[in-house]
Amino acid sequence: VTHARLRPASLATDGASVRIIDQRALPAALVERDLRTLDEVVDAIATLAVRGAPAIGVCAVAGVAVAMRGYAASSRAVFLRELDDVAARVTAVRPTAVNLAWAVARAVRRAHATDGDGGAILGALQAEAHAVEHDDVAMSRAIGQHALQLLDNPVRALTHCNTGALATAGGGTALAAIYAAHAAGRDVAVYATETRPLLQGARLTAWELQQAGVPVTVLADGAAASLLRLGTVTSVLVGADRIAANGDVANKIGTYALALAAATHGVPFYVLAPKSTVDADSADGRAIPIELRAREELARCGTVPILPDGVAVWNPAFDITPASLVTAIVTDSGVHRPPYRFADT
Ligand code: MRU
Protein backbone atom coordinates (compact mmCIF):
# COMPACT_ATOMS: atom_id res chain seq x y z
CA VAL A 1 0.00 0.00 0.00
CA THR A 2 1.42 3.40 -0.91
CA HIS A 3 -0.12 6.69 0.11
CA ALA A 4 -1.31 7.24 -3.47
CA ARG A 5 -3.61 4.22 -3.16
CA LEU A 6 -5.24 5.09 0.14
CA ARG A 7 -8.76 6.45 -0.30
CA PRO A 8 -10.24 7.12 3.13
CA ALA A 9 -13.73 7.78 1.70
CA SER A 10 -15.11 7.74 -1.80
CA LEU A 11 -18.54 7.58 -3.46
CA ALA A 12 -18.84 4.15 -5.11
CA THR A 13 -19.27 4.26 -8.89
CA ASP A 14 -22.85 2.95 -8.61
CA GLY A 15 -23.64 5.72 -6.10
CA ALA A 16 -25.05 3.17 -3.65
CA SER A 17 -22.41 3.42 -0.94
CA VAL A 18 -19.51 5.35 0.51
CA ARG A 19 -16.50 3.07 0.39
CA ILE A 20 -14.29 3.85 3.40
CA ILE A 21 -11.13 2.66 5.05
CA ASP A 22 -12.16 1.97 8.64
CA GLN A 23 -9.33 3.79 10.40
CA ARG A 24 -10.33 2.32 13.75
CA ALA A 25 -8.85 -1.00 12.64
CA LEU A 26 -5.39 0.40 11.83
CA PRO A 27 -2.58 -0.45 12.20
CA ALA A 28 -3.64 -4.04 12.83
CA ALA A 29 -5.67 -4.34 9.62
CA LEU A 30 -6.55 -2.37 6.50
CA VAL A 31 -10.32 -2.81 6.45
CA GLU A 32 -12.61 -1.36 3.79
CA ARG A 33 -16.34 -0.99 4.39
CA ASP A 34 -19.34 0.21 2.42
CA LEU A 35 -21.63 2.67 4.16
CA ARG A 36 -25.13 2.42 2.69
CA THR A 37 -27.28 4.54 4.99
CA LEU A 38 -27.18 7.99 6.53
CA ASP A 39 -26.96 6.41 10.00
CA GLU A 40 -23.87 4.46 8.98
CA VAL A 41 -22.22 7.59 7.56
CA VAL A 42 -22.99 9.60 10.70
CA ASP A 43 -21.66 6.81 12.90
CA ALA A 44 -18.44 6.46 10.83
CA ILE A 45 -17.66 10.17 11.19
CA ALA A 46 -18.67 10.31 14.88
CA THR A 47 -16.52 7.31 15.84
CA LEU A 48 -13.52 8.40 13.72
CA ALA A 49 -13.72 5.48 11.31
CA VAL A 50 -13.22 8.35 8.87
CA ARG A 51 -11.37 11.32 10.34
CA GLY A 52 -9.10 14.19 9.34
CA ALA A 53 -10.71 17.43 8.22
CA PRO A 54 -10.68 17.07 4.40
CA ALA A 55 -11.52 13.34 4.52
CA ILE A 56 -14.53 14.07 6.71
CA GLY A 57 -15.75 16.53 4.09
CA VAL A 58 -15.30 14.00 1.28
CA CYS A 59 -17.11 11.32 3.31
CA ALA A 60 -19.95 13.63 4.32
CA VAL A 61 -20.75 14.82 0.83
CA ALA A 62 -20.64 11.27 -0.53
CA GLY A 63 -22.86 10.24 2.38
CA VAL A 64 -25.40 12.91 1.49
CA ALA A 65 -25.50 11.58 -2.08
CA VAL A 66 -26.03 8.03 -0.80
CA ALA A 67 -28.73 9.11 1.66
CA MET A 68 -30.64 10.98 -1.06
CA ARG A 69 -30.80 7.98 -3.38
CA GLY A 70 -34.13 6.97 -1.91
CA TYR A 71 -35.62 10.27 -3.11
CA ALA A 72 -34.66 9.97 -6.79
CA ALA A 73 -38.32 9.60 -7.76
CA SER A 74 -39.45 12.55 -5.62
CA SER A 75 -40.52 15.95 -6.79
CA ARG A 76 -38.01 18.79 -6.71
CA ALA A 77 -39.63 20.36 -3.63
CA VAL A 78 -39.67 17.13 -1.62
CA PHE A 79 -36.11 16.27 -2.64
CA LEU A 80 -34.70 19.67 -1.68
CA ARG A 81 -36.55 19.73 1.63
CA GLU A 82 -35.21 16.30 2.57
CA LEU A 83 -31.73 17.28 1.37
CA ASP A 84 -31.66 20.24 3.72
CA ASP A 85 -32.51 17.93 6.65
CA VAL A 86 -29.87 15.36 5.68
CA ALA A 87 -27.26 18.08 5.20
CA ALA A 88 -27.98 19.60 8.61
CA ARG A 89 -27.72 16.21 10.29
CA VAL A 90 -24.36 15.34 8.71
CA THR A 91 -22.91 18.80 9.30
CA ALA A 92 -23.66 18.63 13.03
CA VAL A 93 -21.69 15.42 13.64
CA ARG A 94 -18.32 17.12 14.23
CA PRO A 95 -18.32 20.87 14.83
CA THR A 96 -14.67 21.96 14.60
CA ALA A 97 -13.41 20.84 11.17
CA VAL A 98 -15.00 23.38 8.86
CA ASN A 99 -14.30 21.23 5.78
CA LEU A 100 -17.32 19.11 6.72
CA ALA A 101 -19.74 22.05 6.62
CA TRP A 102 -17.93 23.48 3.58
CA ALA A 103 -18.21 20.30 1.49
CA VAL A 104 -21.86 19.69 2.38
CA ALA A 105 -22.78 23.33 1.70
CA ARG A 106 -21.07 23.10 -1.67
CA ALA A 107 -23.24 20.10 -2.62
CA VAL A 108 -26.42 21.72 -1.32
CA ARG A 109 -25.70 24.87 -3.35
CA ARG A 110 -25.20 22.81 -6.48
CA ALA A 111 -28.42 20.88 -5.82
CA HIS A 112 -30.45 24.08 -5.47
CA ALA A 113 -28.88 25.43 -8.67
CA THR A 114 -29.77 22.28 -10.65
CA ASP A 115 -32.99 22.22 -12.68
CA GLY A 116 -35.37 19.28 -12.68
CA ASP A 117 -36.82 16.77 -10.27
CA GLY A 118 -35.22 14.40 -7.75
CA GLY A 119 -33.43 12.24 -10.32
CA ALA A 120 -31.65 15.16 -11.96
CA ILE A 121 -30.66 16.72 -8.65
CA LEU A 122 -29.37 13.38 -7.36
CA GLY A 123 -27.12 13.17 -10.40
CA ALA A 124 -25.75 16.62 -9.61
CA LEU A 125 -25.10 15.64 -5.98
CA GLN A 126 -23.19 12.56 -7.08
CA ALA A 127 -21.12 14.63 -9.50
CA GLU A 128 -20.35 17.10 -6.70
CA ALA A 129 -19.26 14.30 -4.37
CA HIS A 130 -16.77 13.13 -6.99
CA ALA A 131 -15.68 16.74 -7.60
CA VAL A 132 -14.99 17.38 -3.90
CA GLU A 133 -12.81 14.28 -3.78
CA HIS A 134 -11.05 15.15 -7.03
CA ASP A 135 -10.39 18.74 -5.93
CA ASP A 136 -9.00 17.51 -2.63
CA VAL A 137 -6.39 15.42 -4.44
CA ALA A 138 -5.28 18.52 -6.36
CA MET A 139 -5.19 20.62 -3.16
CA SER A 140 -2.94 18.09 -1.42
CA ARG A 141 -0.57 18.11 -4.34
CA ALA A 142 -0.41 21.91 -4.43
CA ILE A 143 0.16 22.16 -0.67
CA GLY A 144 3.06 19.72 -0.91
CA GLN A 145 4.67 21.60 -3.77
CA HIS A 146 4.33 25.04 -2.13
CA ALA A 147 5.75 23.69 1.13
CA LEU A 148 8.97 22.51 -0.51
CA GLN A 149 10.35 26.06 -0.45
CA LEU A 150 10.09 26.07 3.37
CA LEU A 151 11.91 22.80 3.95
CA ASP A 152 15.64 22.31 4.30
CA ASN A 153 17.69 19.32 3.27
CA PRO A 154 17.88 17.23 5.37
CA VAL A 155 14.29 17.51 6.63
CA ARG A 156 13.74 16.51 10.26
CA ALA A 157 10.08 17.27 10.79
CA LEU A 158 7.98 16.92 13.92
CA THR A 159 4.28 16.33 13.25
CA HIS A 160 1.14 15.75 15.28
CA CYS A 161 -1.97 13.66 14.72
CA ASN A 162 -2.48 12.23 11.22
CA THR A 163 -2.42 14.65 8.32
CA GLY A 164 -1.63 12.21 5.53
CA ALA A 165 -3.35 10.16 2.87
CA LEU A 166 -5.75 8.81 5.50
CA ALA A 167 -6.85 12.36 6.34
CA THR A 168 -7.49 13.63 2.80
CA ALA A 169 -8.38 12.26 -0.61
CA GLY A 170 -4.81 12.94 -1.76
CA GLY A 171 -1.44 12.71 -0.05
CA GLY A 172 -2.42 14.86 2.89
CA THR A 173 -1.76 18.32 4.29
CA ALA A 174 1.34 18.41 6.49
CA LEU A 175 2.35 14.95 5.28
CA ALA A 176 1.89 16.10 1.67
CA ALA A 177 4.97 18.25 2.28
CA ILE A 178 6.84 15.23 3.63
CA TYR A 179 5.86 13.11 0.65
CA ALA A 180 6.84 15.90 -1.76
CA ALA A 181 10.26 16.30 -0.12
CA HIS A 182 10.77 12.54 -0.10
CA ALA A 183 9.79 12.28 -3.77
CA ALA A 184 12.18 15.15 -4.58
CA GLY A 185 15.02 13.04 -3.21
CA ARG A 186 15.63 14.96 -0.01
CA ASP A 187 16.84 13.25 3.13
CA VAL A 188 13.59 13.12 5.14
CA ALA A 189 12.85 11.73 8.58
CA VAL A 190 9.72 12.35 10.63
CA TYR A 191 9.05 12.47 14.34
CA ALA A 192 5.38 11.69 15.01
CA THR A 193 3.71 12.34 18.35
CA GLU A 194 1.52 9.43 19.36
CA THR A 195 -1.40 11.89 19.78
CA ARG A 196 -3.41 11.00 22.84
CA PRO A 197 -6.10 10.05 23.44
CA LEU A 198 -6.94 8.25 20.18
CA LEU A 199 -3.37 7.75 18.99
CA GLN A 200 -3.76 8.96 15.40
CA GLY A 201 0.00 9.61 15.30
CA ALA A 202 1.02 6.16 16.50
CA ARG A 203 -1.68 4.13 14.78
CA LEU A 204 -2.06 6.07 11.52
CA THR A 205 0.87 8.40 10.80
CA ALA A 206 3.52 5.87 11.77
CA TRP A 207 1.74 3.19 9.70
CA GLU A 208 1.28 5.43 6.69
CA LEU A 209 4.87 6.69 6.64
CA GLN A 210 6.22 3.19 7.12
CA GLN A 211 4.15 1.99 4.14
CA ALA A 212 5.59 4.85 2.08
CA GLY A 213 9.17 4.11 3.11
CA VAL A 214 9.65 7.37 5.03
CA PRO A 215 11.66 6.91 8.26
CA VAL A 216 9.47 7.67 11.26
CA THR A 217 10.08 7.81 15.01
CA VAL A 218 7.16 7.96 17.44
CA LEU A 219 7.31 9.84 20.71
CA ALA A 220 4.85 10.44 23.54
CA ASP A 221 3.13 13.81 23.27
CA GLY A 222 4.84 14.88 26.48
CA ALA A 223 8.31 14.25 24.97
CA ALA A 224 7.93 16.80 22.18
CA ALA A 225 9.29 19.83 24.07
CA SER A 226 12.42 17.90 25.05
CA LEU A 227 12.93 16.80 21.44
CA LEU A 228 12.63 20.40 20.26
CA ARG A 229 15.20 21.49 22.82
CA LEU A 230 17.73 19.06 21.32
CA GLY A 231 17.89 21.22 18.19
CA THR A 232 17.63 18.40 15.67
CA VAL A 233 14.09 19.18 14.45
CA THR A 234 14.18 21.53 11.43
CA SER A 235 10.46 22.35 11.42
CA VAL A 236 7.13 21.47 13.01
CA LEU A 237 4.51 20.63 10.38
CA VAL A 238 0.85 20.31 11.39
CA GLY A 239 -2.52 20.39 9.68
CA ALA A 240 -5.61 22.32 10.70
CA ASP A 241 -9.27 21.68 11.27
CA ARG A 242 -10.21 25.32 10.93
CA ILE A 243 -8.20 28.48 10.38
CA ALA A 244 -9.70 31.79 11.48
CA ALA A 245 -9.40 34.92 9.33
CA ASN A 246 -6.61 36.28 11.58
CA GLY A 247 -4.56 33.07 11.29
CA ASP A 248 -5.50 31.44 14.61
CA VAL A 249 -5.51 27.69 14.05
CA ALA A 250 -7.75 24.96 15.44
CA ASN A 251 -6.04 21.57 15.27
CA LYS A 252 -5.73 18.36 17.26
CA ILE A 253 -5.38 18.82 21.01
CA GLY A 254 -1.70 19.23 21.81
CA THR A 255 -0.90 21.42 18.81
CA TYR A 256 -0.84 24.57 20.96
CA ALA A 257 1.70 23.02 23.33
CA LEU A 258 3.89 22.09 20.35
CA ALA A 259 3.70 25.65 19.04
CA LEU A 260 4.71 27.09 22.42
CA ALA A 261 7.67 24.72 22.64
CA ALA A 262 8.68 25.40 19.02
CA ALA A 263 8.63 29.16 19.64
CA THR A 264 10.71 28.77 22.81
CA HIS A 265 13.35 26.77 20.94
CA GLY A 266 13.32 28.82 17.72
CA VAL A 267 11.95 26.04 15.50
CA PRO A 268 9.68 27.18 12.63
CA PHE A 269 6.06 26.13 13.09
CA TYR A 270 4.16 25.62 9.84
CA VAL A 271 0.44 24.93 9.38
CA LEU A 272 -0.61 23.25 6.13
CA ALA A 273 -4.23 23.02 4.98
CA PRO A 274 -6.43 23.46 1.94
CA LYS A 275 -8.11 26.83 1.51
CA SER A 276 -11.41 25.16 2.40
CA THR A 277 -10.09 24.98 5.97
CA VAL A 278 -9.94 28.77 6.18
CA ASP A 279 -13.18 30.07 7.66
CA ALA A 280 -13.74 33.73 6.80
CA ASP A 281 -16.71 33.73 9.20
CA SER A 282 -14.45 33.04 12.19
CA ALA A 283 -12.69 36.34 12.87
CA ASP A 284 -10.32 34.69 15.35
CA GLY A 285 -9.91 31.50 17.35
CA ARG A 286 -12.56 32.45 19.91
CA ALA A 287 -15.23 31.97 17.23
CA ILE A 288 -14.23 28.35 16.56
CA PRO A 289 -16.31 25.71 18.37
CA ILE A 290 -14.14 23.08 20.06
CA GLU A 291 -15.54 19.56 20.05
CA LEU A 292 -15.63 17.92 23.49
CA ARG A 293 -15.54 14.15 23.23
CA ALA A 294 -16.58 11.27 25.44
CA ARG A 295 -15.04 10.40 28.81
CA GLU A 296 -14.55 6.89 27.47
CA GLU A 297 -11.65 8.02 25.24
CA LEU A 298 -9.57 8.95 28.29
CA ALA A 299 -10.93 6.30 30.61
CA ARG A 300 -9.62 3.44 28.45
CA CYS A 301 -6.56 2.72 26.40
CA GLY A 302 -7.98 0.43 23.73
CA THR A 303 -10.23 -1.77 25.81
CA VAL A 304 -8.14 -1.56 28.99
CA PRO A 305 -9.54 0.69 31.77
CA ILE A 306 -6.91 3.23 32.88
CA LEU A 307 -8.96 5.59 35.06
CA PRO A 308 -10.60 5.00 38.42
CA ASP A 309 -14.39 4.88 38.20
CA GLY A 310 -16.02 8.19 38.92
CA VAL A 311 -13.02 10.41 38.09
CA ALA A 312 -13.97 13.33 35.84
CA VAL A 313 -12.21 14.04 32.54
CA TRP A 314 -11.82 17.05 30.27
CA ASN A 315 -11.48 15.84 26.69
CA PRO A 316 -11.36 18.58 24.07
CA ALA A 317 -10.54 17.10 20.66
CA PHE A 318 -8.88 20.30 19.43
CA ASP A 319 -7.12 23.41 20.65
CA ILE A 320 -6.44 26.88 19.31
CA THR A 321 -2.92 27.94 18.43
CA PRO A 322 -2.71 31.73 18.26
CA ALA A 323 -1.50 33.16 14.97
CA SER A 324 1.45 34.77 16.79
CA LEU A 325 2.99 31.29 17.26
CA VAL A 326 2.59 30.28 13.61
CA THR A 327 5.53 30.99 11.29
CA ALA A 328 3.55 30.54 8.05
CA ILE A 329 0.39 28.91 6.73
CA VAL A 330 0.64 26.89 3.52
CA THR A 331 -2.51 26.40 1.47
CA ASP A 332 -3.04 25.19 -2.07
CA SER A 333 -2.75 28.84 -3.13
CA GLY A 334 0.74 29.31 -1.67
CA VAL A 335 2.68 30.28 1.45
CA HIS A 336 0.90 32.86 3.60
CA ARG A 337 2.60 34.97 6.23
CA PRO A 338 1.12 37.47 8.68
CA PRO A 339 -0.83 39.66 8.35
CA TYR A 340 -3.03 37.07 6.64
CA ARG A 341 -5.23 38.01 3.67
CA PHE A 342 -6.56 34.65 2.54
CA ALA A 343 -9.46 36.23 0.66
CA ASP A 344 -7.08 37.86 -1.83
CA THR A 345 -5.69 34.58 -3.16
O1 MRU B 1 -10.05 14.06 15.44
P1 MRU B 1 -9.37 13.92 14.09
O2 MRU B 1 -8.54 12.69 13.97
O3 MRU B 1 -10.37 14.09 12.94
O4 MRU B 1 -8.40 15.17 14.04
C1 MRU B 1 -7.61 15.38 12.89
C2 MRU B 1 -6.65 16.50 13.01
O5 MRU B 1 -6.65 17.24 13.97
C3 MRU B 1 -5.76 16.78 11.85
O6 MRU B 1 -4.55 17.31 12.29
C4 MRU B 1 -6.52 17.76 11.00
O7 MRU B 1 -7.71 17.23 10.50
C5 MRU B 1 -5.77 18.43 9.94
S1 MRU B 1 -4.94 17.45 8.73
C6 MRU B 1 -6.04 16.71 7.77
Side-chain angles (χ1 to χ4, degrees):
V1 185
T2 68
H3 68 276
R5 302 232 181 102
L6 292 172
R7 295 175 89 180
S10 189
L11 181 64
T13 37
D14 64 1
S17 67
V18 189
R19 168 65 58 94
I20 66 157
I21 295 172
D22 188 337
Q23 299 188 35
R24 296 169 302 184
L26 285 167
L30 182 59
V31 175
E32 289 192 327
R33 285 177 47 213
D34 282 297
L35 312 177
R36 299 183 186 281
T37 65
L38 181 60
D39 283 346
E40 287 179 351
V41 171
V42 165
D43 183 68
I45 295 173
T47 60
L48 274 55
V50 177
R51 36 65 50 207
I56 293 170
V58 172
C59 183
V61 73
V64 169
V66 166
M68 292 308 296
R69 257 182 117 228
Y71 295 86
S74 299
S75 70
R76 175 183 185 78
V78 168
F79 190 99
L80 289 177
R81 196 169 55 232
E82 183 64 22
L83 172 62
D84 289 342
D85 284 353
V86 166
R89 204 177 143 207
V90 175
T91 300
V93 180
R94 297 196 74 192
T96 304
V98 76
N99 313 63
L100 199 175
W102 169 85
V104 171
R106 189 175 145 170
V108 169
R109 264 199 314 276
R110 175 146 174 193
H112 282 264
T114 301
D115 291 333
D117 286 343
I121 308 174
L122 178 65
L125 278 181
Q126 292 169 337
E128 197 64 17
H130 290 302
V132 167
E133 184 180 359
H134 182 266
D135 291 354
D136 196 47
V137 175
M139 288 190 285
S140 278
R141 194 172 301 125
I143 290 167
Q145 290 307 314
H146 289 306
L148 279 179
Q149 64 190 275
L150 300 174
L151 300 180
D152 311 308
N153 193 13
V155 179
R156 295 290 176 267
L158 171 61
T159 191
H160 188 53
C161 196
N162 174 268
T163 68
L166 291 164
T168 70
T173 56
L175 286 198
I178 294 296
Y179 290 131
H182 188 64
R186 298 197 197 170
D187 169 11
V188 179
V190 176
Y191 293 97
T193 58
E194 59 176 356
T195 317
R196 282 284 292 152
L198 294 180
L199 301 170
Q200 291 94 328
R203 294 189 302 105
L204 308 176
T205 300
W207 178 82
E208 208 188 294
L209 290 173
Q210 189 182 52
Q211 298 289 321
V214 178
V216 56
T217 302
V218 171
L219 56 147
D221 296 8
S226 297
L227 175 67
L228 288 165
R229 188 173 57 187
L230 290 182
T232 46
V233 170
T234 54
S235 52
V236 179
L237 305 178
V238 297
D241 290 85
R242 192 185 301 216
I243 299 172
N246 75 335
D248 288 353
V249 172
N251 192 48
K252 178 55 56 191
I253 190 72
T255 304
Y256 176 32
L258 280 186
L260 286 167
T264 294
H265 296 294
V267 179
F269 185 92
Y270 298 123
V271 174
L272 301 90
K275 269 187 77 181
S276 52
T277 303
V278 177
D279 179 20
D281 294 334
S282 296
D284 60 37
R286 289 170 302 184
I288 301 178
I290 298 294
E291 177 184 5
L292 287 174
R293 290 189 60 88
R295 176 182 195 282
E296 203 58 14
E297 293 181 352
L298 282 170
R300 293 179 190 283
C301 194
T303 55
V304 180
I306 55 169
L307 199 67
D309 285 347
V311 171
V313 306
W314 181 56
N315 186 20
F318 303 100
D319 59 24
I320 303 290
T321 297
S324 57
L325 295 176
V326 176
T327 311
I329 296 176
V330 184
T331 72
D332 39 301
S333 65
V335 175
H336 303 261
R337 294 186 187 269
Y340 296 105
R341 294 197 216 293
F342 300 108
D344 299 345
T345 54

